[in-house]
Amino acid sequence: QVQLVESGGGLVQPGGSLRLSCAASIRIASIYVMAWYRQAPGKQRELVASITNGGRTNYADSVKGRFTISRDNAKNTVYLQMNSLKPEDTAVFYCNAHPPLPSWGQGTQVTVSS
């Protein structure tokens, strides 16, 4: 069974930065697109950013210019650098393939508040 372990979340003030990491129990080099998703309270999970094996990235309009996704296939790890954080970024962040695999990790909580 695939295991995805997200980390790096926390409480940060508006305008602050966080770097999320996602360690996978499988060779992510075999997955063409890896992605970060988030789920805010009372809302559906949404796609935030994705990256292909070739490094092509795509971002939700709400995070463009602020978030950067990257992947290290040798370490089976995906990252999300988040800058200029806003209160509306508060959510639980998850990584998965895109389209997602059936297994989801527990996610990492990001709270943006003063």
Side-chain angles (χ1 to χ4, degrees):
Q1 186 175 351
V2 176
Q3 286 189 315
L4 299 163
V5 180
E6 300 91 350
S7 62
L11 172 63
V12 64
Q13 292 187 341
S17 298
L18 285 172
R19 188 191 193 208
L20 307 184
S21 297
C22 170
S25 63
I26 57 171
R27 287 182 65 251
I28 65 169
S30 64
I31 300 175
Y32 182 58
V33 182
M34 290 295 298
W36 282 94
Y37 303 77
R38 67 184 178 187
Q39 187 167 18
K43 294 188 177 181
Q44 287 191 327
R45 190 173 291 166
E46 64 172 348
L47 177 65
V48 173
S50 63
I51 183 167
T52 68
N53 252 329
R56 182 175 296 180
T57 58
N58 199 23
Y59 298 94
D61 287 344
S62 59
V63 306
K64 267 180 194 173
R66 301 189 297 122
F67 290 10
T68 303
I69 187 172
S70 59
R71 63 192 288 172
D72 186 335
N73 286 350
K75 295 182 179 179
N76 295 320
T77 302
V78 185
Y79 303 97
L80 187 67
Q81 177 67 43
M82 305 187 297
N83 300 327
S84 303
L85 282 161
K86 304 176 181 180
E88 51 264 43
D89 294 317
T90 295
V92 179
F93 282 71
Y94 303 87
C95 75
N96 207 319
H98 182 65
L101 301 169
S103 297
W104 290 86
Q106 292 196 334
T108 186
Q109 174 72 48
V110 172
T111 303
V112 185
S113 175
S114 54

